[in-house]
Amino acid sequence: MIKKLLFLAAVTGILTASACRRQTDTKPSSDASFMIDSTYGMVVADTITYDVIISNPNPGDTWTARCLSKLNHKALVDSIFAMVYSGRVLAFNLDTREQLTVRQIKDIEAEQGFNRENIGMIQFTEAWYLDPKENAMTKKVLSMVLGTNFYNAEGELFGHKPVFKVVLK
């Protein structure tokens, strides 16, 4: 069991590292005015990328269950797809960086085995602002990569497979 967990951790790290390397289209700002923003505070990260698990693939994992207990997975995922379908946000192929059409998104959803409920991870790219005077921190989402749960032959979570990247306007 320990070997499987170590293997899973290594594969997840590799998948995350490769996804981070592909996201070079979000460049740090060179504009000095970006560092101090009167609306949000000072910029503490003009670009930061991290993964968030949004579904618990292991019912016995009570910690993850508790962390996700207030998340409405269906509303989150359905809303992202609705924004893409309406054209309010743009979707891109993560590998080619080409913009996806509504037809291409529908084709992804029609693929055998695809199910919105299987989206288990979102990789966020954000800008972070801190206002020490107001004791406030604001995060502005720049983009999101939806990832489906990817299982090994034994049915155990192996990692996540990117579906598409959403760039917020």
Side-chain angles (χ1 to χ4, degrees), residues 3-135:
K3 286 183 180 179
K4 286 182 181 178
L5 289 174
L6 290 173
F7 179 74
L8 176 61
V11 169
T12 301
I14 291 167
L15 291 174
T16 299
S18 67
C20 288
R21 277 194 306 274
R22 287 188 292 235
Q23 293 189 352
T24 58
D25 53 318
T26 305
K27 294 182 177 64
S29 173
S30 60
D31 180 7
S33 66
F34 186 70
M35 298 312 286
I36 306 270
D37 184 297
S38 61
T39 304
Y40 299 119
M42 70 176 166
V43 176
V44 292
D46 71 350
T47 308
I48 189 164
T49 302
Y50 61 96
D51 298 340
V52 175
I53 300 299
I54 63 166
S55 72
N56 186 1
N58 179 0
D61 182 352
T62 57
W63 173 253
T64 300
R66 188 167 73 184
C67 290
L68 297 175
S69 66
K70 304 292 183 184
L71 174 69
N72 186 337
H73 181 276
K74 181 174 176 25
L76 173 63
V77 173
D78 287 350
S79 294
I80 293 169
F81 273 87
M83 291 186 308
V84 170
Y85 283 137
S86 72
R88 293 191 316 265
V89 299
L90 303 176
F92 294 86
N93 179 300
L94 195 61
D95 292 322
T96 66
R97 298 185 184 165
E98 293 177 2
Q99 184 176 343
L100 298 172
T101 65
V102 169
R103 179 76 250 156
Q104 289 170 310
I105 298 295
K106 287 182 179 181
D107 290 346
I108 290 170
E109 286 206 85
E111 289 177 8
Q112 183 177 5
F114 182 86
N115 187 333
R116 289 184 186 185
E117 292 176 10
N118 197 32
I119 294 175
M121 186 269 303
I122 297 179
Q123 184 178 76
F124 289 95
T125 299
E126 300 176 342
W128 287 4
Y129 304 87
L130 183 64
D131 186 344
K133 292 178 184 173
E134 297 295 324
N135 300 324

